[in-house]
Amino acid sequence: MILNVQNLSVTFRSKGGVVYALKNICFSLEKGDVLALAGESGSGKSTVANALVGLVPWEQGGTYELFGEKINPYQKKSFSIVRSKMQMAFQDPYSSLNPRNTVMEIVTAPLLARGISKNEATKKAKRMLDLVGLSNADVHKFPHAFSGGQRQRIGLARALVLEPKILICDEITSALDVSVQAQILHLINDLQNELELSLIFISHDIDVMEMIANKVLRLSNGEVEVD
Ligand code: ADP
Ligand code: MG
């Protein structure tokens, strides 16, 4: 088991009152798994992803183990271990791609931030951009020059350049045309084999999940739905 989450619960407090976004979510991941996280809009899928990478606080108990290591989800510091093993790709990578940076700058940035030399970072970025299907000519362009599908490729390269073992994809094909969706799903499949990734694939589209997943966790109102 590479990931084991037990009783993850998340509560949001806002002016409107308290939202119990997640209640006692339990799941695990084996190496090579593609776990589909399914459920209607608002069911809590993104909150699971955000809790796994430390973007929202775990509130009422819950335990978290990653590659046999106990993570303390109540301690910000312990998420540095998580980030070395797990990365995320989003529905709208454009909003998180700095428009003033070239593709090469975008993909090398996470490596440079971790103290890797520019030479080494450029090498790693080139390999990853090649794997996601971007050409050498693309690397000096800016994000606005690309289509939605190509931007997903840039977002994937940026997440994967850190060599995570687990990739979380949060609705990465949801804004794309059907034909482009299929290309990105094929790419995900190739990347999974090439990089020996395990995946948590979030989608509200049943067809997409059936194409890609070997396990499904269905959420409804912040709880795991039992068939
Ligand atoms: P999904 O990704 O399945 O569409 P989310 O995980 O985004 O669902 O949201 C689950 C619930 O938590 C929703 O009711 C949503 O309104 C609420 N929620 C999510 N993020 C926040 C937040 N930062 N503050 C308050 N409520 C939130
Ligand atoms: Mg969501």
Side-chain angles (χ1 to χ4, degrees):
M1 212 184 296
I2 60 173
L3 169 68
N4 187 8
V5 172
Q6 296 294 319
N7 298 314
L8 161 61
S9 297
V10 171
T11 308
F12 292 114
R13 287 180 192 77
S14 64
K15 272 179 253 154
V18 179
V19 178
Y20 296 94
L22 296 177
K23 289 163 245 169
N24 296 314
I25 303 292
C26 303
F27 65 96
S28 62
L29 205 65
E30 303 288 343
K31 187 167 190 279
D33 269 348
V34 179
L35 172 72
L37 205 53
E40 286 178 7
S41 180
S43 58
K45 305 180 298 295
S46 294
T47 304
V48 171
N50 291 334
L52 287 177
V53 298
L55 292 175
V56 300
W58 296 40
E59 291 235 319
Q60 301 127 344
T63 61
Y64 186 173
E65 255 182 66
L66 194 60
F67 292 90
E69 210 166 340
K70 279 198 165 47
I71 307 294
N72 181 346
Y74 305 97
Q75 215 177 56
K76 271 242 136 116
K77 207 176 70 192
S78 57
F79 282 100
S80 62
I81 299 168
V82 174
R83 284 194 201 97
S84 69
K85 304 239 183 324
M86 197 187 287
Q87 288 290 321
M88 217 155 129
F90 302 94
Q91 173 169 357
D92 177 18
Y94 193 51
S95 66
S96 61
L97 301 175
N98 187 332
R100 289 192 196 83
N101 287 353
T102 64
V103 170
M104 183 51 85
E105 285 165 342
I106 287 166
V107 178
T108 52
L111 295 167
L112 299 175
R114 281 164 178 76
I116 291 170
S117 73
K118 194 165 177 191
N119 241 336
E120 187 66 15
T122 305
K123 255 194 248 164
K124 282 177 186 276
K126 275 199 173 135
R127 171 172 177 252
M128 203 47 69
L129 286 162
D130 184 48
L131 269 181
V132 301
L134 290 166
S135 72
N136 268 336
D138 289 333
V139 307
H140 302 298
K141 294 183 189 160
F142 296 89
H144 67 81
F146 295 92
S147 67
Q150 285 174 313
R151 283 176 197 154
Q152 278 304 354
R153 292 173 194 268
I154 301 168
L156 285 167
R158 182 178 53 177
L160 292 172
V161 79
L162 294 165
E163 298 171 26
K165 306 277 185 216
I166 300 174
L167 178 69
I168 305 177
C169 298
D170 190 353
E171 307 262 14
I172 61 165
T173 62
S174 301
L176 303 175
D177 294 339
V178 174
S179 64
V180 182
Q181 263 188 23
Q183 290 166 14
I184 296 294
L185 290 175
H186 281 297
L187 171 64
I188 289 285
N189 198 29
D190 292 346
L191 290 171
Q192 194 207 356
N193 292 327
E194 178 75 25
L195 304 172
E196 299 185 351
L197 285 172
S198 306
L199 291 178
I200 298 178
F201 198 89
I202 298 178
S203 176
H204 60 269
D205 185 331
I206 289 176
D207 294 339
V208 166
M209 289 178 316
E210 279 182 351
M211 258 174 79
I212 198 165
N214 67 313
K215 278 184 180 173
V216 177
L217 186 77
R218 195 174 298 280
L219 298 183
S220 172
N221 280 319
E223 292 185 87
V224 175
E225 213 173 58
V226 188
D227 304 311

Short mmCIF file of all heavy atoms in Angstrom, two decimals, residues 12-14 19-22 38-48 50 56 170-171 202 219 222, ligand 1:
data_model
loop_
_atom_site.label_atom_id
_atom_site.label_comp_id
_atom_site.label_asym_id
_atom_site.label_seq_id
_atom_site.Cartn_x
_atom_site.Cartn_y
_atom_site.Cartn_z
N PHE A 12 -15.59 23.35 6.68
CA PHE A 12 -15.33 24.76 6.35
C PHE A 12 -16.28 25.63 7.15
O PHE A 12 -17.47 25.35 7.24
CB PHE A 12 -15.57 25.02 4.86
CG PHE A 12 -14.58 24.36 3.96
CD1 PHE A 12 -14.99 23.35 3.09
CD2 PHE A 12 -13.24 24.73 3.95
CE1 PHE A 12 -14.07 22.73 2.24
CE2 PHE A 12 -12.32 24.11 3.11
CZ PHE A 12 -12.75 23.12 2.25
N ARG A 13 -15.72 26.70 7.72
CA ARG A 13 -16.60 27.67 8.42
C ARG A 13 -16.67 28.93 7.58
O ARG A 13 -15.65 29.45 7.17
CB ARG A 13 -16.04 27.98 9.80
CG ARG A 13 -16.22 26.83 10.75
CD ARG A 13 -15.66 27.13 12.13
NE ARG A 13 -15.62 25.87 12.87
CZ ARG A 13 -14.69 24.93 12.69
NH1 ARG A 13 -13.69 25.14 11.85
NH2 ARG A 13 -14.75 23.80 13.35
N SER A 14 -17.86 29.36 7.30
CA SER A 14 -18.01 30.63 6.56
C SER A 14 -19.16 31.39 7.16
O SER A 14 -19.80 30.93 8.10
CB SER A 14 -18.24 30.33 5.08
OG SER A 14 -19.47 29.65 4.93
N VAL A 19 -19.85 24.04 6.85
CA VAL A 19 -20.04 23.04 5.79
C VAL A 19 -19.20 21.81 6.13
O VAL A 19 -17.98 21.92 6.28
CB VAL A 19 -19.58 23.59 4.41
CG1 VAL A 19 -19.74 22.54 3.33
CG2 VAL A 19 -20.35 24.85 4.06
N TYR A 20 -19.86 20.68 6.30
CA TYR A 20 -19.13 19.43 6.52
C TYR A 20 -18.77 18.87 5.16
O TYR A 20 -19.50 18.08 4.59
CB TYR A 20 -19.99 18.45 7.33
CG TYR A 20 -20.28 18.98 8.72
CD1 TYR A 20 -21.45 19.69 9.00
CD2 TYR A 20 -19.35 18.81 9.74
CE1 TYR A 20 -21.69 20.21 10.25
CE2 TYR A 20 -19.58 19.32 11.00
CZ TYR A 20 -20.76 20.03 11.26
OH TYR A 20 -20.99 20.55 12.50
N ALA A 21 -17.62 19.31 4.65
CA ALA A 21 -17.26 18.98 3.26
C ALA A 21 -16.87 17.52 3.11
O ALA A 21 -17.17 16.91 2.09
CB ALA A 21 -16.13 19.89 2.80
N LEU A 22 -16.18 16.95 4.10
CA LEU A 22 -15.81 15.53 4.06
C LEU A 22 -16.06 14.89 5.41
O LEU A 22 -15.73 15.48 6.45
CB LEU A 22 -14.32 15.37 3.71
CG LEU A 22 -13.86 15.85 2.34
CD1 LEU A 22 -12.35 15.66 2.20
CD2 LEU A 22 -14.60 15.13 1.22
N ALA A 38 -14.96 9.94 -7.96
CA ALA A 38 -16.14 10.32 -8.73
C ALA A 38 -17.16 11.00 -7.84
O ALA A 38 -17.08 10.94 -6.61
CB ALA A 38 -16.74 9.07 -9.35
N GLY A 39 -18.14 11.62 -8.46
CA GLY A 39 -19.21 12.25 -7.69
C GLY A 39 -19.63 13.57 -8.31
O GLY A 39 -18.87 14.18 -9.07
N GLU A 40 -20.83 13.99 -7.98
CA GLU A 40 -21.36 15.23 -8.54
C GLU A 40 -20.57 16.44 -8.08
O GLU A 40 -19.82 16.37 -7.11
CB GLU A 40 -22.81 15.39 -8.09
CG GLU A 40 -23.74 14.45 -8.82
CD GLU A 40 -25.17 14.56 -8.35
OE1 GLU A 40 -25.47 15.46 -7.53
OE2 GLU A 40 -25.97 13.74 -8.80
N SER A 41 -20.80 17.53 -8.77
CA SER A 41 -20.20 18.80 -8.37
C SER A 41 -20.59 19.09 -6.91
O SER A 41 -21.75 18.93 -6.54
CB SER A 41 -20.73 19.88 -9.31
OG SER A 41 -20.17 21.10 -8.93
N GLY A 42 -19.61 19.47 -6.11
CA GLY A 42 -19.88 19.80 -4.71
C GLY A 42 -19.85 18.61 -3.77
O GLY A 42 -20.08 18.75 -2.57
N SER A 43 -19.53 17.42 -4.30
CA SER A 43 -19.54 16.22 -3.45
C SER A 43 -18.29 16.10 -2.59
O SER A 43 -18.25 15.28 -1.66
CB SER A 43 -19.73 14.96 -4.29
OG SER A 43 -18.71 14.84 -5.26
N GLY A 44 -17.25 16.87 -2.90
CA GLY A 44 -16.06 16.87 -2.05
C GLY A 44 -14.79 16.36 -2.71
O GLY A 44 -13.76 16.21 -2.05
N LYS A 45 -14.83 16.13 -4.04
CA LYS A 45 -13.67 15.54 -4.73
C LYS A 45 -12.42 16.41 -4.60
O LYS A 45 -11.36 15.94 -4.22
CB LYS A 45 -14.01 15.33 -6.22
CG LYS A 45 -15.26 14.50 -6.45
CD LYS A 45 -15.55 14.30 -7.93
CE LYS A 45 -15.82 15.57 -8.72
NZ LYS A 45 -17.05 16.29 -8.31
N SER A 46 -12.57 17.70 -4.94
CA SER A 46 -11.39 18.58 -4.88
C SER A 46 -10.90 18.76 -3.45
O SER A 46 -9.70 18.93 -3.22
CB SER A 46 -11.72 19.95 -5.48
OG SER A 46 -11.98 19.84 -6.85
N THR A 47 -11.84 18.70 -2.50
CA THR A 47 -11.43 18.85 -1.10
C THR A 47 -10.56 17.67 -0.67
O THR A 47 -9.58 17.86 0.07
CB THR A 47 -12.66 19.00 -0.19
OG1 THR A 47 -13.44 20.10 -0.67
CG2 THR A 47 -12.26 19.27 1.25
N VAL A 48 -10.86 16.46 -1.17
CA VAL A 48 -9.98 15.32 -0.88
C VAL A 48 -8.59 15.60 -1.43
O VAL A 48 -7.58 15.47 -0.71
CB VAL A 48 -10.54 14.00 -1.50
CG1 VAL A 48 -9.51 12.88 -1.39
CG2 VAL A 48 -11.84 13.60 -0.83
N ASN A 50 -7.17 18.45 -2.19
CA ASN A 50 -6.53 19.55 -1.48
C ASN A 50 -6.07 19.13 -0.09
O ASN A 50 -5.02 19.59 0.39
CB ASN A 50 -7.47 20.75 -1.40
CG ASN A 50 -7.70 21.38 -2.76
OD1 ASN A 50 -6.86 21.27 -3.65
ND2 ASN A 50 -8.84 22.02 -2.94
N VAL A 56 -5.94 22.25 2.39
CA VAL A 56 -7.00 22.53 3.37
C VAL A 56 -6.71 21.70 4.63
O VAL A 56 -6.16 20.61 4.54
CB VAL A 56 -8.43 22.20 2.86
CG1 VAL A 56 -8.77 23.00 1.62
CG2 VAL A 56 -8.62 20.71 2.61
N ASP A 170 -7.08 16.73 -11.18
CA ASP A 170 -8.40 17.23 -10.77
C ASP A 170 -9.13 17.80 -11.98
O ASP A 170 -8.89 18.93 -12.37
CB ASP A 170 -8.26 18.28 -9.67
CG ASP A 170 -9.61 18.63 -9.04
OD1 ASP A 170 -10.66 18.16 -9.56
OD2 ASP A 170 -9.62 19.37 -8.04
N GLU A 171 -9.98 16.99 -12.59
CA GLU A 171 -10.80 17.41 -13.74
C GLU A 171 -9.96 17.95 -14.89
O GLU A 171 -10.35 18.92 -15.54
CB GLU A 171 -11.83 18.47 -13.32
CG GLU A 171 -12.69 18.09 -12.13
CD GLU A 171 -14.06 17.55 -12.51
OE1 GLU A 171 -14.27 17.22 -13.69
OE2 GLU A 171 -14.92 17.44 -11.62
N ILE A 202 -9.59 12.59 -10.76
CA ILE A 202 -10.88 13.16 -10.38
C ILE A 202 -11.66 13.55 -11.62
O ILE A 202 -11.13 14.23 -12.50
CB ILE A 202 -10.68 14.41 -9.50
CG1 ILE A 202 -9.96 14.00 -8.20
CG2 ILE A 202 -12.02 15.09 -9.21
CD1 ILE A 202 -9.66 15.15 -7.29
N LEU A 219 -18.06 9.72 -4.26
CA LEU A 219 -18.45 10.59 -3.15
C LEU A 219 -19.85 11.15 -3.37
O LEU A 219 -20.26 11.41 -4.50
CB LEU A 219 -17.48 11.77 -3.01
CG LEU A 219 -16.03 11.45 -2.70
CD1 LEU A 219 -15.24 12.75 -2.53
CD2 LEU A 219 -15.90 10.62 -1.44
N GLY A 222 -19.96 14.58 0.53
CA GLY A 222 -18.81 14.48 1.42
C GLY A 222 -18.63 13.13 2.08
O GLY A 222 -17.76 12.97 2.95
P1 ADP B 1 -16.20 18.96 -5.93
O1 ADP B 1 -14.76 19.08 -6.25
O2 ADP B 1 -16.66 17.53 -5.81
O3 ADP B 1 -17.06 19.72 -6.88
P2 ADP B 1 -15.51 20.48 -3.55
O4 ADP B 1 -14.55 19.59 -2.85
O5 ADP B 1 -14.96 21.61 -4.32
O6 ADP B 1 -16.47 19.58 -4.49
O7 ADP B 1 -16.55 21.07 -2.49
C1 ADP B 1 -17.18 20.29 -1.50
C2 ADP B 1 -18.02 21.18 -0.60
O8 ADP B 1 -17.19 22.02 0.17
C3 ADP B 1 -18.95 22.10 -1.35
O9 ADP B 1 -20.14 22.23 -0.60
C4 ADP B 1 -18.20 23.40 -1.40
O10 ADP B 1 -19.07 24.49 -1.49
C5 ADP B 1 -17.47 23.38 -0.07
N1 ADP B 1 -16.18 24.11 -0.10
C6 ADP B 1 -15.10 23.77 -0.86
N2 ADP B 1 -14.06 24.62 -0.63
C7 ADP B 1 -14.53 25.52 0.30
C8 ADP B 1 -13.94 26.65 0.97
N3 ADP B 1 -12.67 27.01 0.74
N4 ADP B 1 -14.71 27.33 1.86
C9 ADP B 1 -15.98 26.98 2.11
N5 ADP B 1 -16.58 25.91 1.52
C10 ADP B 1 -15.89 25.19 0.63
#
